Amino acid sequence: MNTTNKLIAAVFTIIMGTAICMAQQIAVVSENGETSICNTLQKAIENATDGSIIYLSGGNFKINDDVVITKKLSIIGIGYKPNSENADGNTFISGNLWFNENSSGSSVAGCYISGNVNIGNDGTSVNDVVVKYCNLNSIQVRNNTCIGTVVQQNYIRNSSSLSRNSI
């Protein structure tokens, strides 16, 4: 291997190593204070225990529609509004959030969500979900027996469906 190829290989290795070290990390803090680190929002939701808080840094977090939240979780981003004082950028969640059975008492705050926040489904009531300080496509409460939904200080880009009992 000549010197030019060695130099190119060394530069590539340094760039890849830096990219891996700087990959987004998501902190998951359980109710008993134990902290774990995940590299994807999906893994953070899967690995979290009931009552955990998921802290998202600035950046883009993709989530698939097959990821359903079935435990009490709080998801907290650093915000969605451009702000020159916010060195970490904004928290973007690409996809939909689904709060289903056993996720009563969950919350999401400080995120730009490209999709919808879906609460409950046709057969399940999910109560006391809080959505605050987010920019999102819509909020869909999917069961008219869901109660205690709090929607506060959000920017909602499209029409939403909230039952009379939910607010």
Side-chain angles (χ1 to χ4, degrees):
M1 189 183 262
N2 66 29
T3 306
T4 304
N5 288 344
K6 287 181 182 178
L7 183 59
I8 292 171
V11 169
F12 180 78
T13 302
I14 291 169
I15 291 170
M16 291 306 293
T18 303
I20 289 170
C21 290
M22 295 180 71
Q24 292 173 322
Q25 294 184 338
I26 300 167
V28 180
V29 180
S30 68
E31 280 190 316
N32 65 11
E34 292 180 22
T35 302
S36 61
I37 303 296
C38 297
N39 289 326
T40 68
L41 181 53
Q42 180 171 336
K43 281 290 182 200
I45 291 170
E46 290 171 359
N47 293 343
T49 57
D50 191 54
S52 291
I53 301 171
I54 298 173
Y55 292 100
L56 301 174
S57 63
N60 192 359
F61 301 90
K62 185 173 177 12
I63 190 163
N64 298 325
D65 274 349
D66 60 349
V67 178
V68 177
I69 299 168
T70 57
K71 54 194 138 195
K72 179 184 172 187
L73 292 179
S74 293
I75 300 172
I76 301 174
I78 62 171
Y80 70 86
K81 293 170 100 178
N83 182 338
S84 61
E85 296 174 11
N86 188 355
D88 291 336
N90 301 305
T91 302
F92 294 96
I93 297 176
S94 298
N96 298 304
L97 290 178
W98 296 86
F99 292 97
N100 274 352
E101 188 173 13
N102 299 320
S103 66
S104 290
S106 291
S107 65
V108 60
C111 298
Y112 182 103
I113 302 167
S114 69
N116 305 320
V117 173
N118 300 284
I119 301 169
N121 60 34
D122 290 338
T124 305
S125 292
V126 177
N127 302 319
D128 305 318
V129 173
V130 176
V131 182
K132 291 175 73 170
Y133 313 125
C134 290
N135 181 320
L136 54 134
N137 188 53
S138 74
I139 297 176
Q140 303 297 321
V141 177
R142 301 189 168 270
N143 186 323
N144 65 4
T145 62
C146 294
I147 59 171
T149 302
V150 175
V151 178
Q152 188 175 40
Q153 293 181 309
N154 296 285
Y155 179 82
I156 301 174
R157 298 183 302 274
N158 285 300
S159 62
S160 296
S161 173
L162 300 170
S163 70
R164 294 180 93 152
N165 297 331
S166 66
I167 301 175

